[in-house]
Amino acid sequence: MSKCEQCIVREFSSLKALNKDELIKMANCKTSYIIKKGEPIFEEGESVNGIFCIKDGICKLSKLSANGKDQIVKLVKPGELLGQRSMISDEPANLSAVALEDMEVCFIPKSEVLGFFNNNNQFSMNMMKSICGDLKEADDHMVSMAQKTVKERLAETLLYLEDTFGKNEDGSLHIQLSREELAGMIGTATESCIRLLSEFNKSGLIDLTGKKIVILDKNKLKRMAE
Amino acid sequence: MSKCEQCIVREFSSLKALNKDELIKMANCKTSYIIKKGEPIFEEGESVNGIFCIKDGICKLSKLSANGKDQIVKLVKPGELLGQRSMISDEPANLSAVALEDMEVCFIPKSEVLGFFNNNNQFSMNMMKSICGDLKEADDHMVSMAQKTVKERLAETLLYLEDTFGKNEDGSLHIQLSREELAGMIGTATESCIRLLSEFNKSGLIDLTGKKIVILDKNKLKRMAE
DNA sequence: TTTAAAATATGATATTTGTCATACTTTAAT
DNA sequence: ATTAAAGTATGACAAATATCATATTTTAAA
């Protein structure tokens, strides 16, 4: 069992407010998991009785809509927490969390987290701020979905993916999404997504080589995203 | 200066966790306002150094999109709080709050609220739960925007308006939105909204008399909204 | 009350986007 | 290595939605 003190999640999440004793307590009650690419961490409707710390790997938070399509609401990266909303509201998960890469996560049971809430105001405050950040993102995302065209949203999303998850040595987006998943992020049909990618490719905005996507003209994409 | 003890906001919001002493302290530092229909409580980009308690009247939270349209993100009704997100994140408001009816609101300064956070865990917990509720709503709303057609969203919204704000004696929706505002809620062009309302009217789903909207066939609307 | 402005309504049309069909390519299983 | 399945790509077409024009109605101001 590793100590939580050096963990990336401790460094970047609300957990940074925990002191040594609290970290030791947490280390003693945590459970570590390896999640393979494609596997769920939890699914819509399940109870989540604690929070997950993302040590490594990226996952998607998505929701199945009435028409059978999977809408990706958010991507979560190492250093972040997962499951807070559901745990705090004491409700089943509203979204499914599925690994986009092999992942390492730790689970901290609810009782432990509630203890921190009661004894560490800074931790509570951090958590509140973090959820407020999620809320702002969600509101902005909503306005984007409602007011922008599919083309604008694709441009916006490609830029977001490069900025948030970086690129490989060859300049291609580090994060690997299938066309279907990319379509699920921007909220459109897979074919429409593919068609627009081809269009961006032909007009020199991006380069497509197999699954790899390289952003060639960032400024033009930015203008396109508005 | 009225005591906060009997206030509807105290009854229905996170404030229900406050004890007598805290209520008295709050009553002593609050400021009351009357906001006329159409006037803003705060606007996108402004700093909000506290929270607003909605004693009476309904307001819209909206965001101006790049194409100049005002997207309504949420409606807020008596008993609810306003401005928490911005206050907690210590960021300018992400949304504008504008009165849809004449309103009565009270403002509680940030210093006071932070004091409650530090001394009253139940209040913090309530606030966290409330923001988590907002986040769930926003996520669901986002999926709706991304995956549903305008017709489905209009049906959904009309039902929401009746369920949330009730109806007058003549059966018409109590809340009065202009066509432009309704379009801003469902995320479409005003003309498209008007056209669909006419269509719903002709097919007997609703009745339109001037500005008044009466829902005639709730079940059919529900099925249409999916 | 009269009049101008704003809101509502509707038609015509263009644009965007989704759906279905099909072909090609890559991936993974036998 | 071969083959089936999944993923990617593209065309043809239909449906949904936006835009522009204009008429009508309502609201509010002089």
Side-chain angles (χ1 to χ4, degrees):
Chain A
M1 179 192 63
S2 77
K3 302 178 299 172
C4 299
E5 208 171 344
Q6 324 284 344
C7 180
I8 181 178
V9 184
R10 195 248 162 152
E11 187 177 350
F12 288 111
S13 75
S14 308
L15 300 174
K16 64 170 158 290
L18 299 188
N19 61 36
K20 278 204 171 172
D21 285 351
E22 288 168 322
L23 285 173
I24 291 168
K25 247 188 118 225
M26 187 167 77
N28 283 326
C29 71
K30 74 169 202 280
T31 326
S32 298
Y33 297 100
I34 300 288
I35 315 268
K36 291 264 179 216
K37 178 175 176 171
E39 285 177 359
I41 302 177
F42 55 78
E43 297 196 86
E44 213 179 318
E46 261 180 40
S47 287
V48 181
N49 284 306
I51 55 179
F52 292 90
C53 300
I54 309 298
K55 284 176 73 176
D56 196 35
I58 297 167
C59 79
K60 60 177 174 180
L61 285 175
S62 67
K63 179 156 183 153
L64 204 61
S65 69
N67 58 38
K69 283 184 191 159
D70 211 40
Q71 175 70 32
I72 296 182
V73 168
K74 186 178 163 61
L75 299 177
V76 185
K77 58 179 194 298
E80 298 190 289
L81 301 175
L82 205 63
Q84 321 92 296
R85 216 271 325 156
S86 166
M87 188 202 73
I88 292 170
S89 297
D90 227 331
E91 286 174 1
N94 189 38
L95 307 167
S96 297
V98 174
L100 291 175
E101 308 173 337
D102 290 351
M103 300 183 74
E104 276 181 70
V105 308
C106 289
F107 177 78
I108 318 289
K110 180 172 180 171
S111 55
E112 195 66 19
V113 182
L114 291 184
F116 297 150
F117 278 150
N118 281 322
N119 300 311
N120 187 328
N121 277 323
Q122 188 56 53
F123 174 67
S124 305
M125 224 36 224
N126 285 352
M127 183 65 83
M128 241 187 263
K129 283 192 186 188
S130 153
I131 295 169
C132 282
D134 288 348
L135 179 56
K136 175 170 188 275
E137 255 184 45
D139 283 344
D140 289 352
H141 203 163
M142 203 204 89
V143 176
S144 205
M145 288 296 176
Q147 299 288 351
K148 290 189 173 177
T149 64
V150 174
K151 194 184 284 190
E152 289 165 344
R153 278 180 271 150
L154 175 58
E156 190 178 44
T157 302
L158 291 173
L159 292 168
Y160 163 79
L161 292 176
E162 182 172 294
D163 288 348
T164 310
F165 302 103
K167 39 189 179 179
N168 303 311
E169 325 74 54
D170 63 357
S172 64
L173 296 186
H174 174 257
I175 190 175
Q176 288 267 8
L177 295 173
S178 68
R179 300 294 191 254
E180 192 179 0
E181 284 168 330
L182 189 53
M185 279 200 75
I186 66 182
T188 189
T190 307
E191 296 96 321
S192 299
C193 175
I194 289 172
R195 224 180 289 274
L196 284 173
L197 281 173
S198 292
E199 195 186 310
F200 283 11
N201 188 26
K202 273 167 200 151
S203 60
L205 288 169
I206 63 175
D207 177 73
L208 293 177
T209 313
K211 258 184 146 60
K212 292 201 172 293
I213 301 177
V214 180
I215 292 183
L216 297 175
D217 195 336
K218 206 163 173 172
N219 287 329
K220 218 171 194 172
L221 271 184
K222 266 185 201 158
R223 263 175 283 136
M224 182 173 275
E226 232 110 322
Chain B
M1 177 194 65
S2 76
K3 303 177 300 173
C4 299
E5 209 172 343
Q6 324 285 344
C7 180
I8 180 177
V9 184
R10 194 247 161 151
E11 186 177 353
F12 288 111
S13 76
S14 308
L15 300 175
K16 63 170 157 285
L18 300 188
N19 61 38
K20 279 203 171 175
D21 283 353
E22 289 169 322
L23 285 173
I24 291 168
K25 245 186 119 228
M26 188 168 78
N28 283 325
C29 70
K30 75 170 201 282
T31 326
S32 299
Y33 296 100
I34 299 288
I35 316 268
K36 291 264 179 215
K37 177 175 178 172
E39 286 178 359
I41 301 177
F42 54 78
E43 297 197 87
E44 213 178 320
E46 260 181 41
S47 289
V48 180
N49 285 307
I51 54 179
F52 293 90
C53 300
I54 310 298
K55 283 175 74 178
D56 196 35
I58 297 167
C59 79
K60 59 176 175 182
L61 284 175
S62 68
K63 179 157 184 151
L64 205 60
S65 70
N67 59 38
K69 283 185 193 161
D70 210 41
Q71 175 69 31
I72 297 182
V73 168
K74 186 177 160 62
L75 299 177
V76 185
K77 60 178 194 298
E80 298 190 288
L81 300 176
L82 206 61
Q84 320 94 297
R85 216 272 325 156
S86 167
M87 187 203 75
I88 292 170
S89 297
D90 227 331
E91 286 173 1
N94 189 38
L95 307 168
S96 297
V98 174
L100 292 175
E101 309 172 340
D102 290 351
M103 299 182 75
E104 276 181 69
V105 307
C106 288
F107 177 78
I108 319 289
K110 181 172 180 170
S111 55
E112 194 65 21
V113 182
L114 290 183
F116 296 150
F117 279 150
N118 282 323
N119 300 311
N120 187 329
N121 277 322
Q122 188 56 51
F123 174 68
S124 305
M125 222 39 222
N126 284 353
M127 183 66 84
M128 240 186 259
K129 283 191 187 187
S130 153
I131 295 168
C132 282
D134 287 349
L135 178 56
K136 176 172 188 275
E137 253 184 47
D139 284 343
D140 289 353
H141 203 162
M142 203 203 89
V143 175
S144 204
M145 287 297 175
Q147 299 286 351
K148 290 190 174 176
T149 64
V150 174
K151 194 184 285 192
E152 288 165 344
R153 278 181 272 149
L154 175 58
E156 191 178 45
T157 301
L158 291 174
L159 291 168
Y160 163 77
L161 292 176
E162 181 171 295
D163 288 349
T164 309
F165 302 104
K167 39 189 178 178
N168 303 311
E169 326 74 53
D170 62 357
S172 64
L173 296 186
H174 174 256
I175 191 174
Q176 287 267 9
L177 296 172
S178 70
R179 299 295 192 253
E180 193 178 0
E181 284 168 330
L182 190 53
M185 279 199 75
I186 67 182
T188 190
T190 307
E191 297 95 320
S192 298
C193 175
I194 289 174
R195 224 179 289 274
L196 283 173
L197 280 174
S198 292
E199 196 186 309
F200 283 12
N201 187 24
K202 273 169 200 149
S203 58
L205 288 168
I206 63 175
D207 178 74
L208 294 177
T209 313
K211 256 185 147 63
K212 294 199 172 291
I213 301 177
V214 180
I215 293 183
L216 297 175
D217 195 335
K218 208 164 174 174
N219 287 328
K220 218 171 192 170
L221 271 184
K222 267 185 197 158
R223 264 175 281 137
M224 180 174 276
E226 232 112 322

